[in-house]
Amino acid sequence: METKNIMIVGVGGQGTLLTSRILGNLIRKYGYDVKLSEVHGMAQRGGSVVTFVRYGDKVYEPIVEEGMADVLIAFERLEAIRYQDFLKDDGVIVLNDVRIDPMPVVIGACEYPKDIVDELKKGHTVYSVNANEEAIKLGNSRVFNLIILGLAAKHLDFKVEDWLSVIEETVPPKTIELNKKAFLLGYEKGE
Amino acid sequence: MKKLMLGNEAIARGAFEAGVKVASAYPGTPSTEISENLVQYKEIYCEWAPNEKVATEVAIGASMAGVRSMACMKHVGLNVAADPLYTAGYIGVNGGMVLVVADDPGLYSSQNEQDTRNHARGALVCCIEPSDSQEAKDFTKFAYKISEEYDMPVILRTTTRLAHSQQEVELCDRVEVEDKPYEKNIAKNVMMPANAKRRHVIVEEKLARLAKDGANFEINKMEINDTSIGFVTCGIAYQYVKEAMPNASVLKLGLVNPLPMDLIKEFAKKVDKLVIFEELMPIIEEQVKAAGIDCVGKEMFTVLGEYSANMLKKAFGKAVPAIKQNNLPMRPPILCPGCPHRSVFSVLKKLKIHASGDIGCYTLGAVQPLGVVDSTVCMGASISVLHGIQKAKGDEFTKDWVAVIGDSTFLHTGVNSLMNTVYNKGVGVVMILDNRTTGMTGHQDHAATGKTLQGEETNAVDIPALCRAIGVKRVFEISAFDQKGLEKLLKEELSLRQLSVIVTKAPCALLKGVVFKDKCKEDTEKCKKCGRCLSIGCPALTKCADGTIKIDQSMCNGCGLCQTYCAFDAIKLIKGE
Ligand SMILES: Cc1ncc(C[n+]2csc(CCOP(=O)(O)OP(=O)(O)O)c2C)c(N)n1
């Protein structure tokens, strides 16, 4: 199989690491060679963060580069547009349609780009949901990332049962039911 | 059994399997997770040391006593530990000893981009470098073999990309290594001139032998394919070669100091063109050229940042997709909502005070809109740099200057600087921002938190008492959120032109067990759109299209700082239960 490349981008503190861990454990179940690459430390303090997931018969470099990504999972709009050039021409974007202003925007040094979603749609297929709002409806704003993962799952080659069992193995025991619910909510939005 | 592991987890596992008994470290991205994983193995005694010099000396002691030992640090930590390392090279080992040192090409979270292989060469010690998680574990075990066979400390060099990438790793059992007896050996272990002179001869001999034997080490790998180009590479750069040029011939060096030059010569004979592909400095390249072997290296590739497969492709004229130049707003890291440092910095900003800075989350006080910090050099430097400024320009010049330093950094090396200021009759205000943890690297305990790496209760250094014991007469403690009190105290102490220490206290907002019950909420009706609340740089606050502000309730930690900045009562503190 040709190597598949997934990127998860967002804002430090949004929980991209949990998402990549779930993906990593899932891919292992299917017997692929897998490499994940994460950002720890300084960049986690509200900065722009990127996680790479690559799998296939044999994976060498752990990073995804320009024009390589099959799926771009973006936890925030500005981060989606920042990394859109990493997608293949036929790559898809799974977007959490929310806005988090970076400090240069907050202090008025520059403007938050307008019409990001339209811009993204010009070049790629975009599946989006405001997962933060949906998560609050579920009773916990933190599980928005599982909703996004559910939406992305529609465009990846793994069975729902396997997703659910990996979620069970990966998230803290007390939050299993909530996380599964969030995942399924996203999954159904992908229909 | 196989497990997905970060490079750092794999190194900890390697130490476990190799029978390591003692490990000491000071945190530093990207090396921190090694200790955080070592702690799960009950067979290994491990600890946080106050700095890397101490950690390395603990490892030297354990090795001298006859067990396998480890010390872990980031690249700049090795500068602090360079003193013991350079002499440990002469002494050699009893039990095997490995220093894990993590470089940071691309500066993901460091103050410079130095190359650890320079220290390995300088200290006359062996250095080996893995290229993925599996090798990280295997090479760790191999490092102990080399260390004991060649009576030499070994540096296991990693980089951020390797340390923080995950891959499946095959787990093995621990093999217990019998403790070696301790033998008093003055000629070997007491490095005074006469002994060290003899040891230097021995070290040079050992290195020469290692360089020769190294040609046959299993950690080097020669792959002969298309012989028109042959790459000599090491570490993560190997993965980029395989990705970009799968048909090329490759010599992957696991042993990077001393270089197995015979092996490189043999490889060079087999290929038409020899290309050295190494991140950071041309360390292999310069030695290969000095050995009279024709090659290219930094003529083609940069000494800056991280490498990649696309970069290699581009260098060989292959088309790669380009990133369109976009003028998107950057997203630099910032202090978290509820961070006590923000409160302290907003007072400094209001009083237009210069801050001689240090390393930690509070370095972000240099970022706009705070922009308070004037300088950052290395850990502990804030106090001594301020002392230098004051001695250079006089205390009139420094009347609006302070030094700011975190609790962990103060214990790391700041305390020496404070001792110097007292001893040499320096004056000024030193602020110790005590947030009860090593924040920047992800919440490690230290000698003043009262908890060990294992989470056990222990003595907690009393920082104010320590300052008094050094001889500081004016030591104050104040809540980091008491803005009025802090402003008054700062004005008073700065006017005195004596030496004062102000310890500002409030736990890191992300520290386990810290709960913020309250929330700040905007009252849009009352908002006059003045933007004053935005001047504190809290990421929970945003400006709406109409100029009013909005507070993101999921981000707000209810510290109330923005409220104190609103003159129109447009921000309310909603009390939680
Ligand atoms: C010599 C050296 N060792 C380790 C590091 C990594 N490092 C950066 S900041 C920091 C600690 C910061 O802790 P503290 O001073 O308590 O400040 P906080 O981040 O909690 O505000 C460490 C260990 C470094 N930069 N230099």
Side-chain angles (χ1 to χ4, degrees):
Chain A
M1 188 193 90
E2 209 182 309
T3 302
K4 273 246 188 191
N5 303 305
I6 303 171
M7 276 175 83
I8 306 161
V9 303
V11 178
Q14 274 189 313
T16 45
L17 291 188
L18 175 68
T19 323
S20 64
R21 250 161 230 184
I22 291 172
L23 261 170
N25 287 337
L26 178 67
I27 293 164
R28 282 185 61 206
K29 276 207 174 16
Y30 285 75
Y32 295 120
D33 189 26
V34 55
K35 282 189 179 167
L36 317 179
S37 193
E38 330 177 318
V39 178
H40 299 216
M42 184 84 156
Q44 279 182 293
R45 300 275 172 274
S48 165
V49 291
V50 192
T51 300
F52 305 113
V53 181
R54 307 192 69 213
Y55 62 97
D57 295 334
K58 174 79 192 149
V59 178
Y60 288 106
E61 68 171 339
I63 58 174
V64 176
E65 301 190 61
E66 304 89 316
M68 273 169 67
D70 297 281
V71 181
L72 174 67
I73 301 173
F75 283 6
E76 198 268 352
R77 283 208 295 264
L78 174 59
E79 296 313 308
I81 201 153
R82 195 187 306 286
Y83 293 102
Q84 65 169 341
D85 292 345
F86 281 73
L87 276 167
K88 284 182 179 154
D89 289 340
D90 59 351
V92 302
I93 300 174
V94 178
L95 175 68
N96 183 21
D97 193 6
V98 299
R99 165 177 171 170
I100 301 174
D101 284 0
M103 204 39 67
V105 170
V106 172
I107 62 173
C110 42
E111 264 183 56
Y112 194 93
K114 291 195 184 64
D115 311 319
I116 289 182
V117 179
D118 293 339
E119 194 60 39
L120 291 172
K121 280 184 176 160
K122 277 186 201 159
H124 298 280
T125 313
V126 181
Y127 302 94
S128 70
V129 59
N130 184 328
N132 289 42
E133 268 175 18
E134 300 292 334
I136 290 167
K137 280 189 223 156
L138 285 182
N140 186 335
S141 59
R142 295 211 59 86
V143 294
F144 80 90
N145 46 11
L146 266 289
I147 299 178
I148 296 296
L149 207 51
L151 185 60
K154 269 277 158 192
H155 312 286
L156 298 167
D157 328 306
F158 309 109
K159 293 200 214 87
V160 187
E161 311 86 83
D162 294 326
W163 278 101
L164 292 175
S165 68
V166 168
I167 291 169
E168 239 178 82
E169 291 156 22
T170 316
V171 306
K174 272 198 229 151
T175 65
I176 290 176
E177 282 317 308
L178 182 65
N179 276 302
K180 284 203 296 212
K181 221 160 110 186
F183 174 84
L184 287 172
L185 189 142
Y187 193 77
E188 271 140 35
K189 295 246 177 230
E191 304 283 349
Chain B
M1 196 184 81
K2 282 189 171 184
K3 193 170 176 261
L4 261 189
M5 283 185 156
L6 286 171
N8 281 344
E9 279 178 89
I11 291 168
R13 180 73 197 187
F16 166 73
E17 293 177 7
V20 170
K21 290 222 170 111
V22 173
S24 188
Y26 182 70
T29 315
S31 69
T32 313
E33 299 84 4
I34 303 171
S35 304
E36 290 174 335
N37 279 285
L38 280 172
V39 75
Q40 69 186 290
Y41 304 115
K42 300 296 164 238
E43 295 85 346
I44 304 176
Y45 166 79
C46 55
E47 62 175 28
W48 290 128
N51 66 40
E52 296 84 353
K53 176 180 185 293
V54 174
T56 301
E57 290 155 355
V58 170
I60 291 172
S63 158
M64 216 178 255
V67 309
R68 290 187 164 184
S69 70
M70 177 176 267
C72 316
M73 63 205 71
K74 69 182 290 170
H75 61 341
V76 288
L78 190 58
N79 302 336
V80 180
D83 198 10
L85 175 68
Y86 276 63
T87 302
Y90 282 29
I91 292 176
V93 303
N94 186 20
M97 171 174 158
V98 173
L99 299 192
V100 186
V101 186
D103 284 1
D104 189 16
L107 293 131
Y108 286 88
S109 34
S110 303
Q111 64 267 38
N112 74 31
E113 216 171 4
Q114 69 186 54
D115 191 322
T116 287
R117 295 174 299 166
N118 284 312
H119 270 315
R121 289 188 78 189
L124 309 177
V125 298
C126 174
C127 180
I128 66 175
E129 186 170 358
S131 73
D132 60 26
S133 294
Q134 180 67 50
E135 285 188 358
K137 196 198 81 168
D138 297 343
F139 283 24
T140 302
K141 291 162 82 172
F142 193 73
Y144 284 97
K145 253 176 75 180
I146 302 181
S147 177
E148 286 167 2
E149 272 177 39
Y150 293 85
D151 183 14
M152 191 183 277
V154 174
I155 293 178
L156 182 82
R157 180 201 188 216
T158 72
T159 55
T160 302
R161 192 55 71 190
L162 181 99
H164 291 161
S165 289
Q166 296 193 47
Q167 182 201 2
E168 285 200 311
V169 175
E170 183 74 49
L171 305 186
C172 309
D173 292 331
R174 176 175 169 98
V175 178
E176 288 297 343
V177 182
E178 213 174 308
D179 287 11
K180 298 204 174 136
Y182 171 76
E183 275 164 33
K184 181 162 174 161
N185 186 343
I186 291 176
K188 185 171 190 281
N189 293 337
V190 182
M191 282 306 96
M192 50 192 177
N195 291 345
K197 214 178 229 172
R198 284 191 288 271
R199 291 301 300 176
H200 189 180
V201 178
I202 295 170
V203 175
E204 297 290 352
E205 284 167 5
K206 283 190 296 190
L207 274 174
R209 185 156 57 85
L210 180 57
K212 267 222 143 357
D213 299 352
N216 301 315
F217 284 175
E218 65 205 61
I219 57 172
N220 304 312
K221 203 160 77 182
M222 196 188 294
E223 301 171 13
I224 301 296
N225 295 309
D226 172 6
T227 53
S228 59
I229 296 180
F231 287 96
V232 178
T233 185
C234 62
I236 194 81
Y238 166 77
Q239 307 294 348
Y240 304 137
V241 173
K242 296 300 285 181
E243 189 80 37
M245 321 266 285
N247 298 321
S249 295
V250 188
L251 173 61
K252 179 168 92 66
L253 296 177
L255 181 65
V256 294
N257 192 64
L259 287 178
M261 202 53 81
D262 291 345
L263 187 63
I264 298 173
K265 279 188 184 143
E266 183 192 329
F267 180 68
K269 280 199 201 111
K270 294 187 174 165
V271 298
D272 302 338
K273 183 178 177 183
L274 195 66
V275 180
I276 316 286
F277 192 64
E278 55 186 326
E279 284 184 326
L280 300 179
M281 295 185 67
I283 301 209
I284 299 175
E285 179 189 341
E286 284 178 355
Q287 293 180 75
V288 169
K289 283 182 174 163
I293 303 168
D294 199 23
C295 68
V296 292
K298 298 299 174 185
E299 299 92 336
M300 291 181 79
F301 312 109
T302 174
V303 293
L304 311 173
E306 258 195 306
Y307 282 7
S308 70
N310 273 1
M311 162 189 168
L312 189 57
K313 283 183 194 162
K314 229 186 285 178
F316 281 89
K318 293 192 190 167
V320 295
I323 293 284
K324 287 180 216 89
Q325 269 304 323
N326 49 29
N327 288 319
L328 296 174
M330 302 288 281
R331 193 185 295 277
I334 35 169
L335 295 173
C336 307
C339 176
H341 299 336
R342 175 178 293 105
S343 174
V344 173
F345 283 130
S346 27
V347 175
L348 295 179
K349 185 180 174 186
K350 182 176 173 201
L351 299 179
K352 297 202 171 60
I353 284 176
H354 293 271
S356 170
D358 223 300
I359 304 210
C361 287
Y362 50 92
T363 310
L364 295 172
V367 179
Q368 293 303 334
L370 291 167
V372 172
V373 172
D374 281 56
S375 64
T376 294
V377 186
C378 63
M379 290 190 74
S382 56
I383 302 172
S384 18
V385 165
L386 179 62
H387 181 67
I389 295 173
Q390 188 245 310
K391 290 295 177 189
K393 293 256 169 132
D395 58 356
E396 174 64 23
F397 184 82
T398 52
K399 69 177 194 302
D400 54 355
W401 279 76
V402 298
V404 288
I405 186 166
D407 44 346
S408 185
T409 305
F410 180 68
L411 297 175
H412 179 276
T413 34
V415 63
N416 300 297
S417 303
L418 187 61
M419 218 181 296
N420 179 59
T421 305
V422 175
Y423 172 53
N424 291 303
K425 303 176 184 176
V427 303
V429 173
V430 171
M431 303 183 73
I432 301 175
L433 313 187
D434 184 358
N435 61 357
R436 310 309 303 154
T437 189
T438 317
M440 180 88 268
T441 44
H443 301 125
Q444 290 74 35
D445 278 295
H446 58 63
T449 65
K451 287 265 165 66
T452 64
L453 171 58
Q454 287 76 9
E456 290 163 9
E457 305 259 326
T458 185
N459 176 68
V461 172
D462 180 338
I463 291 178
L466 174 61
C467 296
R468 283 188 203 102
I470 287 172
V472 182
K473 299 280 181 305
R474 307 185 62 79
V475 179
F476 303 88
E477 290 173 71
I478 185 167
S479 160
F481 288 106
D482 178 2
Q483 296 225 316
K484 285 211 178 82
L486 185 58
E487 185 177 333
K488 184 162 165 277
L489 183 59
L490 263 170
K491 281 182 182 158
E492 277 167 17
E493 294 309 305
L494 282 166
S495 72
L496 289 178
R497 315 278 177 93
Q498 296 181 25
L499 176 61
S500 322
V501 169
I502 300 174
V503 184
T504 64
K505 300 172 83 163
C508 167
L510 303 184
L511 200 60
K512 226 175 160 179
V514 174
V515 267
F516 292 90
K517 293 188 182 134
D518 308 341
K519 293 273 177 202
C520 299
K521 183 100 186 78
E522 72 281 353
D523 182 343
T524 313
E525 299 283 291
K526 289 188 178 162
C527 179
K528 295 276 189 286
K529 310 176 186 178
C530 69
R532 192 156 171 259
C533 57
L534 297 175
S535 71
I536 58 170
C538 177
L541 273 60
T542 44
K543 193 153 100 181
C544 304
D546 66 355
T548 60
I549 64 115
K550 190 170 162 40
I551 301 171
D552 184 328
Q553 295 299 296
S554 67
M555 279 207 228
C556 175
N557 278 327
C559 74
L561 189 62
C562 55
Q563 190 197 23
T564 66
Y565 272 71
C566 181
F568 306 103
D569 196 26
I571 297 176
K572 295 256 176 312
L573 196 63
I574 313 276
K575 289 270 172 205
E577 309 81 65

